[in-house]
Amino acid sequence: MDIGIVRGLITAALLVLFLGIWAWTWSRKRKVEFDEAAQLPLQDDRQPKNRKEGKEQAT
């Protein structure tokens, strides 16, 4: 096997891997999860996640 063939196979494998990751990240099934993760830096850390926890802590 020539070194050029090995390099070509590695390049092709990396291209397929890149396209697979790209398709996984842009799939519609992942949109909700990625949108929630994108909002994490904007959320206030002191705010309780749901109202019931906040009421229990306040009383």
Side-chain angles (χ1 to χ4, degrees):
M1 228 190 220
D2 188 44
I3 190 72
I5 293 174
V6 173
R7 288 179 180 169
L9 291 173
I10 291 172
T11 302
L14 290 174
L15 178 64
V16 169
L17 178 65
F18 173 78
L19 292 175
I21 292 172
W22 182 82
W24 173 74
T25 57
W26 285 96
S27 68
R28 292 184 184 199
K29 294 186 289 186
R30 308 284 301 168
K31 182 174 177 26
V32 174
E33 186 176 333
F34 283 131
D35 286 343
E36 289 174 359
Q39 294 299 317
L40 283 176
L42 303 175
Q43 292 177 353
D44 189 9
D45 291 338
R46 294 173 287 163
Q47 187 179 28
K49 290 186 180 182
N50 61 32
R51 293 184 177 152
K52 288 182 180 178
E53 289 179 8
K55 290 180 181 178
E56 290 173 4
Q57 291 174 355
T59 57

